Amino acid sequence: MKQIKGRKRVIIENVYPEIDCGKYPVKRVVDENVKVSADIFADGHNVIKAVLLHRKKGNGKWNETPMKHLSNDKWEAVFKVTRTGWYEYTIRGWVDHFESWQKGLKLKFEANQQIDIELQIGARMMMKAREQASSKHRNKIDKWIGFINEMKHNPAAAAALVLSEEVSDVMYRCADRKDAAVYEKILRVEVERKRALFSSWYELFPRSTSPVPGRHGTFKDVEEVIPLVAEMGFDILYFPPVHPIGKSFRKGKDNSPDAKPDEPGSPWAIGSSEGGHKAIHPELGTLEDFHNVVKKAAGHNIEIALDLAYQCSQDHPYVKEHPEWFTWRPDGTVQYAENPPKKYQDVLAMNFENDDWQNMWKELKSIVDYWIEQGVTVFRVDNPHTKPFRFWEWMIGEIKKEHPDVIFLAEAFTRNKVMDRLGKIGFTQSYTYFTWRNSRDDFIQYLHELTRSERREYFRPNFWPNTPDILPVSLQYKSEAAFISRLVMAATLSSNFGIYGPVFEFCLNVPHPLREEYIDNEKYEIKHYDWKSMTRMRKLIALVNRIRKENPALRTTWNICFAETQNDHLLCYGKTDDEKQNRIFIAVNLDTTFTQGSWIKVPLQEMGISPYRSYNMLDLLTGNSYSWNGEWNYVELNPNIFPVHILKVEQ
Amino acid sequence: MKQIKGRKRVIIENVYPEIDCGKYPVKRVVDENVKVSADIFADGHNVIKAVLLHRKKGNGKWNETPMKHLSNDKWEAVFKVTRTGWYEYTIRGWVDHFESWQKGLKLKFEANQQIDIELQIGARMMMKAREQASSKHRNKIDKWIGFINEMKHNPAAAAALVLSEEVSDVMYRCADRKDAAVYEKILRVEVERKRALFSSWYELFPRSTSPVPGRHGTFKDVEEVIPLVAEMGFDILYFPPVHPIGKSFRKGKDNSPDAKPDEPGSPWAIGSSEGGHKAIHPELGTLEDFHNVVKKAAGHNIEIALDLAYQCSQDHPYVKEHPEWFTWRPDGTVQYAENPPKKYQDVLAMNFENDDWQNMWKELKSIVDYWIEQGVTVFRVDNPHTKPFRFWEWMIGEIKKEHPDVIFLAEAFTRNKVMDRLGKIGFTQSYTYFTWRNSRDDFIQYLHELTRSERREYFRPNFWPNTPDILPVSLQYKSEAAFISRLVMAATLSSNFGIYGPVFEFCLNVPHPLREEYIDNEKYEIKHYDWKSMTRMRKLIALVNRIRKENPALRTTWNICFAETQNDHLLCYGKTDDEKQNRIFIAVNLDTTFTQGSWIKVPLQEMGISPYRSYNMLDLLTGNSYSWNGEWNYVELNPNIFPVHILKVEQ
């Protein structure tokens, strides 16, 4: 019985957000809010109070934010995180005896009951509070008690005093909280830098950057391309693996199992006699060349993202140095990747269940350390769902201890729960199903899944209209309108987005005859592009990225609200910043062939638009301007002219 | 890194049921099932296996039930609890390398690939499994390995063997589970006796049982009434407080603040110079008389339920013996209960925040101990939500350690979250909002809240059509049909139900002019009833209780499924036992004045009724029989004849 806190009457439960009973943190970026709610109540009918306690981890002292009772015992408060690292929060609640007393006094006074004894009870409570009070408050309390005693024959005056805001305020501050209940867990927030939530990715194959057809592109060539990428407004430039490529079982054009001698192979078949994951493919250049790329990119405010693909070609030095990290077959050959009956002889999966797993984990982490030393701050992780979750949790955790700014993007196109788990255990961002969403209702449902469920607390989506492995049906053989609408949706539905270029800017869209991917996949051959040719799409990308940067409403994914439309070819949604100062409304015609129009219902309240005054809609893409009024307004989009609006609300 | 279980690849999360992160147990009664589900998955594409581990607490060894993958990484298994007390459960999952290998082998074999090396890999796995095997299995494995080696030139024969059920079974049993993941928590089930879920309560005021008008009823009179209560089929007979009643500020008829000298006062104003919570009101009789009531009731398979009202009249011995347990006002008077501006001078709330709270808790618990010694096994707890939750959690927990069979019914007509919490912390059953639900959709929504949310795991509803404090509008001035339909709904929607009699059997329903309660509330006066007069309602109650006892489908609350009806005056629902052998279908006309009919859609699948054969519906109330066919059938109920069907499905 000694352990029981018998006088703590307040109950605090159902705290949100709380991921897996607090096992995993909530994620935020700098300057985001953490809105915390909980069910808080006590026995009986006393007034209760609750505060949200929050602090930067290690700071010791808690900050207190009073919580507000919404309804049905649900309370809420918000705090803002302003620095990267870890924050903590919990909740404290207590019975407010003084306010309970005030409430009763007021009712009795209004019912014309005798309140002289009541006033004495109040004075007693003040005397008790006095013990906890600062000297300033103590003086006030003394004065008030004196007044109550003087006003024995004028209870109305005494009641007016003790019900005053000043008395309430001082008594709140001096409240005895020794019987306050504190929630049993301290919950955590991992705060990352802003780019974790707001980033524009551009993917290119360095070997395809040569201006001379047929020549292998180099990091020096990449340097020439960087200004073009910067011009389009991207801030992360992502390279597929840049390491030596295996020669054994090298894949040829179109995934052919028999490469011709001059074929370059897939960059994901990592490792040869020239080195492994810490080496650079000699034809791309030297480590110094790589440093120059990083430097040049930094000069354009671009970060380099490397591909982290924990797999090896049969020629990878690990195979000889650490044979125990691989699986060996009874005939003495090493086990290559399979998806029976398919065989991927150019790639070996590593055996995470081997007896030397600890050394293997350390070595795999050292690869990340190595590239961080070379200036890399962002990693796009290849197929993380085929390596153990416990490995990622450990590895990312260890890296972030020293480098909290490093970003990991999970390339896991797989089942929901697996993708969720990768988010929980530390991945900063994740690829999504955006690529395969097509109808209005699909988009709305998917965005609600991402932004209106607990998932928003730990899973940051990154929307890609295409990748080297995916040319979705929505782009295949389609007109430029399809590219424009997919671009605008990726860039405005989600604050993290990316494209695989330059095939996107050039609107290349001939699919493989059998698969939902590009014909003659760039993974297996060097391509030549006319990098400097300016397309309308390139200008448009630059404009969309500028609009994203200039409008805070587009710098987050969590603020989306959809508009009702009467034509399901039209997808319309609004986004605003926290203060509803910056308000953007987007309309997309999902039909890339025909003009579609609809009355649409603007979510005025969510967007902070007054229904009593007309408002101007300025199209940030075209410069056109429309005068709108109230909820229902008409939108018509001709895909052959322009399939989208990005409208800025001006009222 | 040493603490990391690096080779455990399986993830187990989102386990259901798990109440407040395992802080509170799931509740069951003897012979109920516990269906456990979880999200279970691993990295990669290996086959995984999972088992539900469960045991009676203290038994040490776990029982294993294989879990089944439903879809989308959700797995499920069920175990049955067969004894009162505590059970535990958790989950173990592992990668099944042998089955993964079998799967690959099968695909390769079917694709006509070479499988000789594959077979050697399988033989190796068998050799390894042999180390864990029993001698019986070891012999089999030796034989199989021999066969594989012999069949070098007949891989088809070897493949047929290694894919056989017998090999799969032995290899499953011998699997190396050292890298199995175990869920991080051991979750608990509190198993109570069957009456916790299936009980019929009857409430009467002992003082109103005298056969002589004007005379105070006694326990001896109660003995005469017990056979009538038994005849109606009730198994719990609940008395309002039987303790001495305070004289100071005693309430008179209709809650009058000025009782006349001969008025008996409210039984809830507990305590006088004649004793407190452990004493018996002298006019009711002696402790021996009480023992005789308990004995007589037991002879009819009826348990006595006492009212546990932790409050005192101003004359209660505690007030003098433990003044510190009460709140005193500056004028030297003791603080009575209030709901300003209302005053309840006949009742003192106890101060649970007093410095001597530990002794007070012990004394309050000793009251329960005392009555358990006198043969009481059931307590109806008055207003538990006005005493601290931590007190109940401790008190009920302590009592149940020694007396796991004791039942506590929470009389908390209050907010959802408060009622939920009382369930979580140990109350066996709870009063509900049933009393105020009236429309078809209200009932469906409320029953879904109770039975299809997590609440079903810890909150057992008890449905009362009336109480001494509540004569709901649905009964006021209504015909007998209202009583019949409320009775049948209470008794079949919920497996726990009760009535306050004999006003219910007599269909008394004149309300107080101002409140939703009976005129001249029995709390403040002695009533005289003609206990022995037989009404149709009394016979009907007996029949309904017999139907409940004879039909397992009605012995649980959790199995309800509603039928679609095209007339919202008709509420229709089915219930079946686990095996779908006993199937009951209920139809209620909620309109107590007019005949209502509707086509209704019988939930055939949920009720295990074949759509291919007609079925007979036998009305257990009237003996009428109907031949039904398929989903849609017609029901018509005339409230002036009979407003309900309780149909037994015969097919």
Side-chain angles (χ1 to χ4, degrees):
Chain A
M1 197 158 179
K2 275 185 187 153
Q3 296 92 322
I4 300 175
K5 310 287 182 203
R7 297 203 291 201
K8 293 190 193 300
R9 290 168 48 203
V10 170
I11 301 297
I12 303 166
E13 60 176 23
N14 193 23
V15 175
Y16 180 90
E18 177 181 312
I19 311 306
D20 290 7
C21 300
K23 191 168 159 193
Y24 294 109
V26 164
K27 285 187 192 162
R28 289 294 185 275
V29 299
V30 166
D31 287 346
E32 272 194 299
N33 284 328
V34 183
K35 186 192 274 185
V36 179
S37 65
D39 294 339
I40 306 178
F41 50 87
D43 59 282
H45 307 286
N46 288 141
V47 173
I48 63 170
K49 286 282 190 306
V51 288
L52 174 63
L53 303 177
H54 52 96
R55 66 183 172 200
K56 184 91 166 62
K57 199 179 166 185
N59 276 13
K61 217 172 145 285
W62 289 107
N63 303 301
E64 269 190 24
T65 304
M67 296 187 80
K68 204 180 140 187
H69 181 224
L70 302 180
S71 71
N72 200 18
D73 297 316
K74 190 175 175 184
W75 294 62
E76 191 180 274
V78 176
F79 70 101
K80 181 173 263 192
V81 290
T82 53
R83 287 153 59 202
T84 54
W86 292 81
Y87 280 70
E88 297 178 323
Y89 61 97
T90 191
I91 292 171
R92 178 184 290 156
W94 64 95
V95 173
D96 187 329
H97 289 288
F98 190 76
E99 193 174 321
S100 303
W101 168 84
Q102 285 177 313
K103 229 172 104 186
L105 180 85
K106 187 159 180 280
L107 290 164
K108 287 171 188 171
F109 180 69
E110 285 167 359
N112 283 318
Q113 296 181 1
Q114 282 274 60
I115 58 164
D116 47 342
I117 305 293
E118 293 308 313
L119 285 166
Q120 285 180 47
I121 292 173
R124 272 192 190 180
M125 294 173 95
M126 288 177 169
M127 278 303 286
K128 213 173 153 218
R130 195 183 175 284
E131 295 164 21
Q132 326 252 343
S134 65
S135 64
K136 191 182 76 185
H137 289 152
R138 220 177 292 144
N139 290 340
K140 283 188 180 179
I141 290 173
D142 288 341
K143 212 179 66 193
W144 295 333
I145 295 173
F147 185 82
I148 294 169
N149 289 334
E150 281 165 34
M151 290 296 123
K152 282 227 165 81
H153 303 293
N154 186 357
L161 171 75
V162 298
L163 296 173
S164 72
E165 218 167 285
E166 197 189 357
V167 169
S168 303
D169 180 61
V170 169
M171 288 299 286
Y172 175 84
R173 284 164 199 277
C174 303
D176 179 2
R177 297 203 201 159
K178 74 174 181 340
D179 294 330
V182 179
Y183 185 59
E184 66 241 30
K185 293 174 211 148
I186 292 180
L187 301 168
R188 295 169 303 145
V189 188
E190 184 181 10
V191 183
E192 292 171 282
R193 60 186 172 122
K194 291 190 176 185
R195 201 160 278 176
L197 180 61
F198 180 55
S199 60
S200 307
W201 293 56
Y202 188 84
E203 174 174 7
L204 64 78
F205 284 73
R207 69 187 182 189
S208 296
T209 54
S210 160
V212 183
R215 176 164 75 65
H216 195 287
T218 65
F219 284 139
K220 286 202 167 62
D221 297 326
V222 171
E223 282 192 59
E224 299 305 309
V225 170
I226 285 176
L228 305 173
V229 173
E231 216 175 274
M232 284 188 283
F234 291 101
D235 41 41
I236 296 179
L237 175 58
Y238 150 52
F239 302 148
V242 295
H243 317 301
I245 295 169
K247 290 179 181 76
S248 315
F249 302 98
R250 179 176 279 192
K251 290 286 173 76
K253 190 177 158 83
D254 192 23
N255 199 19
S256 148
D258 307 299
K260 296 191 194 93
D262 59 338
E263 289 197 276
S266 161
W268 280 273
I270 297 170
S272 74
S273 58
E274 289 145 337
H277 284 75
K278 294 176 190 166
I280 285 176
H281 186 58
E283 288 182 86
L284 287 172
T286 64
L287 184 60
E288 198 191 331
D289 294 339
F290 181 76
H291 288 156
N292 287 335
V293 164
V294 171
K295 236 176 282 170
K296 176 94 179 221
H300 287 86
N301 197 23
I302 288 176
E303 295 175 61
I304 296 300
L306 281 198
D307 195 294
L308 195 60
Y310 284 137
Q311 58 190 25
C312 300
S313 88
Q314 300 212 18
D315 309 323
H316 196 293
Y318 287 161
V319 180
K320 282 203 183 102
E321 290 163 17
H322 300 284
E324 65 279 19
W325 294 357
F326 300 88
T327 305
W328 296 88
R329 291 158 57 89
D331 61 352
T333 62
V334 64
Q335 179 67 57
Y336 45 79
E338 292 184 319
N339 184 12
K342 288 190 214 159
K343 304 175 177 199
Y344 307 98
Q345 285 109 321
D346 63 333
V347 170
L348 310 180
M350 300 183 80
N351 176 9
F352 278 82
E353 290 174 329
N354 83 73
D355 288 335
D356 192 41
W357 62 270
Q358 280 154 312
N359 287 322
M360 188 174 90
W361 282 24
K362 283 179 198 158
E363 172 63 20
L364 295 181
K365 170 178 174 285
S366 77
I367 295 168
V368 177
D369 283 321
Y370 176 81
W371 290 108
I372 290 174
E373 273 165 43
Q374 313 317 320
V376 175
T377 45
V378 183
F379 295 88
R380 177 270 196 192
V381 181
D382 193 69
N383 279 326
H385 56 297
T386 60
K387 289 97 198 170
F389 297 95
R390 284 174 176 83
F391 165 70
W392 295 117
E393 191 170 350
W394 169 81
M395 194 276 276
I396 295 176
E398 291 295 307
I399 293 291
K400 289 219 153 180
K401 276 185 199 163
E402 285 179 55
H403 309 287
D405 278 351
V406 170
I407 287 172
F408 292 93
L409 166 63
E411 186 242 12
F413 290 112
T414 182
R415 287 119 55 211
N416 250 328
K417 285 161 191 173
V418 173
M419 290 169 70
D420 281 352
R421 182 81 182 188
L422 293 167
K424 288 181 195 171
I425 63 177
F427 280 89
T428 321
Q429 304 178 357
S430 176
Y431 283 72
T432 66
Y433 307 149
F434 163 76
T435 322
W436 301 279
R437 291 293 179 270
N438 296 310
S439 77
R440 179 193 62 182
D441 294 346
D442 278 357
F443 279 115
I444 293 175
Q445 196 199 320
Y446 189 50
L447 266 292
H448 282 175
E449 276 178 39
L450 292 172
T451 64
R452 298 200 183 177
S453 73
E454 191 187 68
R455 184 177 289 149
R456 68 180 275 152
E457 309 295 342
Y458 55 78
F459 183 91
R460 291 196 197 92
N462 193 328
F463 280 11
W464 289 68
N466 71 329
T467 78
D469 282 322
I470 314 164
L471 173 64
V473 172
S474 56
L475 292 179
Q476 291 175 16
Y477 300 121
K478 292 290 190 310
S479 68
E480 191 195 34
F483 286 81
I484 296 175
S485 61
R486 302 301 293 190
L487 170 80
V488 168
M489 284 192 286
T492 61
L493 287 167
S494 167
S495 48
N496 292 309
F497 90 109
I499 59 169
Y500 155 51
V503 294
F504 193 87
E505 305 99 273
F506 294 151
C507 299
L508 302 182
N509 60 1
V510 178
H512 189 278
L514 300 175
R515 294 188 289 275
E516 199 182 15
E517 62 182 62
Y518 289 87
I519 194 166
D520 298 327
N521 194 320
E522 190 167 356
K523 277 161 73 173
Y524 307 108
E525 57 187 283
I526 294 173
K527 300 277 186 182
H528 176 72
Y529 300 111
D530 183 6
W531 284 95
K532 306 236 165 164
S533 89
M534 183 52 77
T535 62
R536 178 162 101 136
M537 187 56 67
R538 185 165 268 176
K539 281 188 199 161
L540 181 68
I541 293 168
L543 181 54
V544 167
N545 270 324
R546 208 182 72 215
I547 292 169
R548 280 165 48 92
K549 289 203 174 93
E550 288 174 357
N551 289 281
L554 298 176
R555 289 185 217 144
T556 173
T557 298
W558 314 127
N559 58 346
I560 199 158
C561 57
F562 288 93
E564 194 181 325
T565 68
Q566 293 171 331
N567 175 341
D568 59 15
H569 291 292
L570 285 180
L571 176 69
C572 298
Y573 46 98
K575 298 187 115 186
T576 74
D577 61 358
D578 284 347
E579 294 75 29
K580 300 193 179 172
Q581 292 303 305
N582 180 249
R583 296 167 291 188
I584 300 292
F585 190 80
I586 289 136
V588 181
N589 181 0
L590 298 169
D591 181 341
T592 55
T593 311
F594 298 106
T595 298
Q596 298 286 349
S598 172
W599 287 93
I600 55 156
K601 187 183 175 186
V602 180
L604 294 184
Q605 210 194 332
E606 289 96 322
M607 296 192 66
I609 300 173
S610 163
Y612 307 114
R613 283 181 294 141
S614 68
Y615 46 102
N616 188 53
M617 289 297 225
L618 171 65
D619 192 329
L620 299 175
L621 293 170
T622 61
N624 293 335
S625 193
Y626 309 88
S627 180
W628 285 18
N629 221 312
E631 274 187 333
W632 290 94
N633 292 277
Y634 193 78
V635 166
E636 189 175 275
L637 288 162
N638 179 344
N640 301 304
I641 300 171
F642 214 71
V644 298
H645 285 312
I646 302 183
L647 303 166
K648 184 168 182 173
V649 181
E650 296 170 334
Q651 189 175 38
Chain B
M1 196 157 180
K2 275 187 186 152
Q3 296 92 322
I4 300 174
K5 310 288 184 203
R7 296 203 291 202
K8 294 189 193 299
R9 290 169 47 204
V10 170
I11 301 297
I12 302 166
E13 60 175 25
N14 193 23
V15 174
Y16 181 91
E18 176 180 312
I19 311 304
D20 290 6
C21 300
K23 191 169 159 189
Y24 295 109
V26 164
K27 285 186 191 162
R28 290 293 185 275
V29 299
V30 165
D31 287 345
E32 271 194 298
N33 285 328
V34 183
K35 187 192 275 185
V36 180
S37 65
D39 295 339
I40 306 177
F41 49 87
D43 58 283
H45 308 287
N46 287 141
V47 173
I48 63 170
K49 285 282 192 303
V51 288
L52 175 62
L53 302 177
H54 51 97
R55 66 183 172 199
K56 183 94 164 64
K57 200 182 165 182
N59 276 13
K61 217 171 144 287
W62 289 108
N63 302 300
E64 268 190 23
T65 304
M67 296 187 81
K68 203 180 140 189
H69 181 224
L70 303 179
S71 70
N72 200 18
D73 297 317
K74 191 175 174 182
W75 294 63
E76 191 180 273
V78 177
F79 70 100
K80 180 173 262 194
V81 291
T82 54
R83 288 154 58 202
T84 55
W86 293 82
Y87 279 70
E88 296 177 322
Y89 61 98
T90 191
I91 292 172
R92 179 183 290 156
W94 65 94
V95 173
D96 187 328
H97 288 288
F98 191 75
E99 193 175 321
S100 303
W101 169 83
Q102 284 178 313
K103 229 172 104 184
L105 181 84
K106 187 159 180 280
L107 290 164
K108 287 171 188 172
F109 181 69
E110 286 167 359
N112 282 318
Q113 297 181 2
Q114 281 274 57
I115 58 164
D116 48 340
I117 304 293
E118 293 308 313
L119 286 166
Q120 285 181 47
I121 293 173
R124 273 193 191 180
M125 294 172 93
M126 288 177 167
M127 278 302 286
K128 215 174 151 216
R130 193 183 176 284
E131 295 163 22
Q132 327 251 346
S134 66
S135 65
K136 191 181 76 185
H137 289 153
R138 219 175 293 143
N139 291 340
K140 284 189 180 179
I141 290 174
D142 287 341
K143 212 180 65 194
W144 295 334
I145 294 174
F147 185 80
I148 294 170
N149 290 333
E150 281 166 34
M151 288 296 123
K152 282 226 166 82
H153 303 294
N154 186 357
L161 171 76
V162 297
L163 296 174
S164 72
E165 218 168 286
E166 197 189 358
V167 169
S168 303
D169 181 61
V170 169
M171 288 299 285
Y172 175 83
R173 285 164 199 279
C174 303
D176 179 2
R177 297 202 201 159
K178 75 174 180 339
D179 293 330
V182 179
Y183 185 58
E184 66 242 32
K185 292 175 210 148
I186 291 179
L187 301 168
R188 295 169 304 145
V189 189
E190 185 181 9
V191 182
E192 292 172 282
R193 60 189 172 117
K194 291 190 176 185
R195 202 159 279 178
L197 180 61
F198 179 56
S199 60
S200 307
W201 293 56
Y202 188 84
E203 174 174 7
L204 63 77
F205 282 74
R207 70 188 182 188
S208 296
T209 55
S210 161
V212 183
R215 177 164 74 64
H216 194 288
T218 65
F219 284 138
K220 287 202 165 62
D221 297 326
V222 171
E223 282 192 58
E224 298 307 308
V225 171
I226 284 175
L228 306 173
V229 174
E231 216 175 274
M232 285 188 282
F234 291 101
D235 41 40
I236 296 179
L237 175 57
Y238 150 52
F239 302 149
V242 295
H243 317 300
I245 294 170
K247 290 177 182 81
S248 315
F249 303 97
R250 179 175 278 193
K251 289 286 172 76
K253 189 177 159 85
D254 193 22
N255 199 21
S256 148
D258 307 300
K260 298 191 193 92
D262 59 339
E263 290 197 277
S266 161
W268 280 273
I270 296 170
S272 75
S273 57
E274 290 145 337
H277 284 74
K278 294 175 191 169
I280 284 175
H281 186 58
E283 289 182 85
L284 286 172
T286 63
L287 185 60
E288 198 191 331
D289 293 340
F290 181 76
H291 287 156
N292 287 334
V293 165
V294 171
K295 236 177 282 170
K296 176 94 179 220
H300 286 85
N301 196 23
I302 287 175
E303 294 175 62
I304 297 299
L306 281 199
D307 196 294
L308 194 60
Y310 284 136
Q311 57 191 28
C312 300
S313 90
Q314 300 212 17
D315 309 322
H316 197 293
Y318 287 161
V319 180
K320 282 203 186 102
E321 290 165 16
H322 299 284
E324 66 280 18
W325 294 357
F326 300 88
T327 304
W328 297 86
R329 290 158 58 90
D331 61 354
T333 61
V334 65
Q335 179 65 60
Y336 44 80
E338 291 184 320
N339 184 12
K342 290 191 212 157
K343 303 174 177 201
Y344 307 98
Q345 285 108 323
D346 62 334
V347 169
L348 310 180
M350 302 183 79
N351 176 8
F352 278 83
E353 289 175 329
N354 83 73
D355 288 335
D356 193 41
W357 63 270
Q358 279 154 315
N359 287 321
M360 187 173 92
W361 282 24
K362 284 179 196 157
E363 172 63 22
L364 295 181
K365 170 179 174 283
S366 79
I367 295 168
V368 178
D369 283 322
Y370 176 82
W371 289 107
I372 290 173
E373 274 165 42
Q374 313 317 320
V376 175
T377 45
V378 183
F379 295 89
R380 176 271 197 193
V381 181
D382 193 68
N383 279 327
H385 56 296
T386 61
K387 289 98 198 168
F389 297 95
R390 283 173 177 82
F391 165 70
W392 295 119
E393 191 170 350
W394 170 81
M395 194 276 275
I396 295 175
E398 290 296 308
I399 292 292
K400 289 219 152 179
K401 275 184 200 165
E402 285 180 54
H403 310 286
D405 278 352
V406 170
I407 286 171
F408 291 93
L409 166 63
E411 186 241 12
F413 290 111
T414 182
R415 286 122 55 213
N416 250 327
K417 285 161 191 174
V418 173
M419 291 170 69
D420 282 351
R421 182 80 183 189
L422 292 167
K424 287 181 195 172
I425 63 178
F427 280 89
T428 322
Q429 303 178 358
S430 176
Y431 284 72
T432 65
Y433 306 149
F434 164 76
T435 322
W436 301 280
R437 290 292 179 271
N438 297 309
S439 77
R440 179 193 63 181
D441 294 346
D442 278 357
F443 279 115
I444 294 175
Q445 196 199 321
Y446 189 49
L447 265 292
H448 281 174
E449 276 177 39
L450 292 172
T451 64
R452 299 200 182 176
S453 73
E454 191 188 67
R455 185 177 287 148
R456 67 180 276 153
E457 309 295 343
Y458 55 78
F459 183 92
R460 290 195 196 92
N462 193 327
F463 280 10
W464 290 68
N466 71 330
T467 79
D469 282 321
I470 314 163
L471 173 64
V473 172
S474 56
L475 292 178
Q476 290 175 18
Y477 300 121
K478 292 293 192 307
S479 68
E480 192 195 33
F483 286 80
I484 296 175
S485 61
R486 301 302 292 191
L487 171 79
V488 168
M489 283 192 286
T492 60
L493 286 168
S494 167
S495 47
N496 292 308
F497 90 107
I499 59 169
Y500 154 51
V503 294
F504 193 89
E505 305 97 275
F506 295 151
C507 298
L508 302 182
N509 59 1
V510 179
H512 190 280
L514 300 174
R515 293 187 290 274
E516 198 182 16
E517 62 180 62
Y518 289 87
I519 194 165
D520 297 329
N521 193 320
E522 191 166 357
K523 277 161 73 172
Y524 307 108
E525 58 187 280
I526 294 172
K527 300 276 185 183
H528 175 72
Y529 300 110
D530 183 5
W531 284 94
K532 306 237 163 162
S533 90
M534 182 51 76
T535 62
R536 178 163 101 134
M537 187 56 65
R538 184 165 268 174
K539 281 187 198 160
L540 181 69
I541 292 169
L543 181 54
V544 168
N545 268 325
R546 209 181 71 217
I547 293 169
R548 280 166 47 93
K549 289 204 174 91
E550 288 174 357
N551 289 280
L554 298 176
R555 289 185 216 144
T556 173
T557 299
W558 315 127
N559 57 347
I560 199 158
C561 57
F562 287 93
E564 193 181 325
T565 69
Q566 293 171 330
N567 175 341
D568 59 16
H569 291 291
L570 286 179
L571 176 70
C572 297
Y573 47 97
K575 296 188 116 185
T576 74
D577 62 357
D578 284 347
E579 294 76 27
K580 299 191 180 174
Q581 292 302 307
N582 181 250
R583 294 167 292 186
I584 300 292
F585 189 81
I586 289 135
V588 181
N589 180 358
L590 298 169
D591 181 342
T592 56
T593 311
F594 296 106
T595 298
Q596 298 286 351
S598 172
W599 288 93
I600 55 155
K601 187 182 175 188
V602 180
L604 294 184
Q605 210 195 333
E606 289 95 323
M607 295 192 67
I609 300 172
S610 163
Y612 306 112
R613 283 182 295 141
S614 69
Y615 46 102
N616 188 52
M617 288 297 225
L618 171 66
D619 193 330
L620 299 175
L621 293 170
T622 60
N624 292 336
S625 195
Y626 310 87
S627 180
W628 285 19
N629 222 313
E631 274 186 333
W632 288 94
N633 292 277
Y634 193 78
V635 165
E636 187 176 276
L637 289 161
N638 179 345
N640 302 304
I641 301 172
F642 214 71
V644 297
H645 286 311
I646 301 183
L647 302 166
K648 185 168 181 172
V649 181
E650 296 169 334
Q651 188 175 38

